[in-house]
Amino acid sequence: MAGKARAQLECLAKAGNGQYCDAPDARSLARRLQRVGQLSADGYRFKGKRLRGAAQEGATPLTSGVSRVPAQSGTGVCDKAGRYWLVVERKDARGSDAARWPMALTFHVEHPLKKGVTPAQSEPEYGAGGKDATLPTTGPKDVTGGTGFNDARTLHQGVWRDKVLPAQTLWCKVPVGWDQQLRYDVEFANEPTVRGYGAPTSFGGTQVYTPFRAPVGSGTTEFSPQVPYRGRPASLSMGTVPDAWTNHYEGHPDVVPVHRKGDFSLAVTLGARASRIAENPQIGVVLRIAVLGKETSGPQAGAAAVAADASGSDSGSSADEMPGGGGGWSTGRVAAVAVGGVGVLLLAGLAVGYGRARRRPRADGGNSDPMRGGSW
C-alpha cells in the first residue's frame, strides 16, 4: 500500500501507540502477526499466584451512583459548566446470561437556596443513630414490600413484618426530614432446614438509598450490609447520618449523599442459596424502623423545629427551601441523574463559594427522639 491511504494508516497506528507494517501476502502477514504478538507478550512479565474466581450467588438488583459536586474553592477540575457524559456499561463473564437487563434512568435538578440564606452545619457523624440506637419494640404489623423504587411501600417508624423468597429483594421507603436520620434493623427468622442439609451458607443483605436513589455508601464505618444466613436467626443494622445540605462537601461516601429530605428507600435481599437451606420457601423478615432527631423546617441554619403533628409527612416546602424541591446556592445549581433498578446517580453543578458552617458536637446528643414519626 502506498500514497495517501498508507499515510493515513501510519497516522492511525502512531496515534494508537502502535506500528504500521506492510504485508504483501498471507504468509508475510502471518509472520508479521507472530512477531508483533511475541513483542507484545514479552513487554510485561506477570508475577504472583494464579487465582480462579467463584460463581456469584444468584441475581439481585444493582444500583450505583456517581456524583459531581462543586468544590468549595470553585477551582476544581470539574467545576466548569458545560456538557458532561454519563456512560453505563455491562461487562459479562464468559458463559453468563446474554439476555438484556432492564435499566431505569432518572434526572433531577437541585435549585439554589435563596440569596443570603446560610445552610446549617454538616452532620458527618452517626451520633445517636449508631449501632446502639434505641429502636421500636412493639409487636410487628404485616406489610407487603415492593419490587423496586417505583412501587416501594411507604412505612414510618414502627415494627413491620414480611416474607422474602431466596433471590428476592423487598423494597420500602421511609420519609426523613431535615436534620433527621434513619436507623433500622433487619431480622431474618429461623427456619427448619431441609433433610440432608450439608453446610451451604447464604446471606441476608440490606441497603439504603437517598431520595435521588443514590446508595448511601457501603456502611463500612458503622454498619455491615450483609450477614451470613444458615437457617438460624440473623440480623443486620443499617442507617444514615443526619440529613444536612452541607453534607455535600464532606468526604465520606456514607455522608455525601445524605443532603436532601424526602423518601429514603430500603432494600432487603435474601441470597439464592437459602433455597437449599430452609425447608419453607419463604423466610420471615422483620424491620424495626426509627426516624431519629427533631425535624427542622428547612436546610438553613437556625431553622425552626417542625410541629410534631406534621412530622409524618413530606409535603410542601418552607420559605427558605429551594424551589422545585432541590437545595443549593444562588450562584449555581446542581443537576442529578439516577440510573436505578440496575443503576447510577449523577450530581452536576456550577462552582460556588461560601463560608462553610463547621459542625460542632450537639449538647443534646443529636436531638435523638426514638419515638418520633408514628407508624404506618
Side-chain angles (χ1 to χ4, degrees), residues 192-202 229-232 273-274 276-278:
T193 56
V194 297
R195 181 175 298 179
Y197 164 70
T201 300
S202 188
Y229 184 76
R230 301 181 179 89
R232 296 186 291 273
R273 199 173 290 135
R276 297 165 51 190
I277 299 173

Side-chain angles (χ1 to χ4, degrees), residues 37 42 51 134 160 312 346 350 356:
D42 289 342
L51 298 177
T134 301
W160 309 94
L346 169 69
L350 304 179
R356 177 182 172 189

Side-chain angles (χ1 to χ4, degrees), residues 72 119-130 179 181 240-244 246-247 249-250 255 354-368:
Q72 286 181 264
Q121 61 192 10
S122 60
E123 298 281 359
E125 305 294 337
Y126 284 94
D179 216 31
Q181 63 187 126
T240 70
V241 296
D243 197 2
T246 43
N247 284 350
Y249 302 97
E250 291 293 336
V255 179
Y354 71 100
R356 177 182 172 189
R358 297 301 301 172
R359 183 180 186 277
R360 295 180 299 275
R362 295 182 177 186
D364 60 357
N367 287 330
S368 174

Side-chain angles (χ1 to χ4, degrees), residues 31 67 104 134 155 174 181 199 233 238 264 299:
R31 288 198 301 268
S67 62
T134 301
L155 302 178
V174 181
Q181 63 187 126
M238 188 58 69
F264 282 68

Side-chain angles (χ1 to χ4, degrees), residues 107-133:
F107 181 82
H108 307 272
V109 175
E110 290 187 62
H111 293 277
L113 291 173
K114 292 184 177 180
K115 186 176 181 179
V117 173
T118 301
Q121 61 192 10
S122 60
E123 298 281 359
E125 305 294 337
Y126 284 94
K131 292 180 180 179
D132 298 328

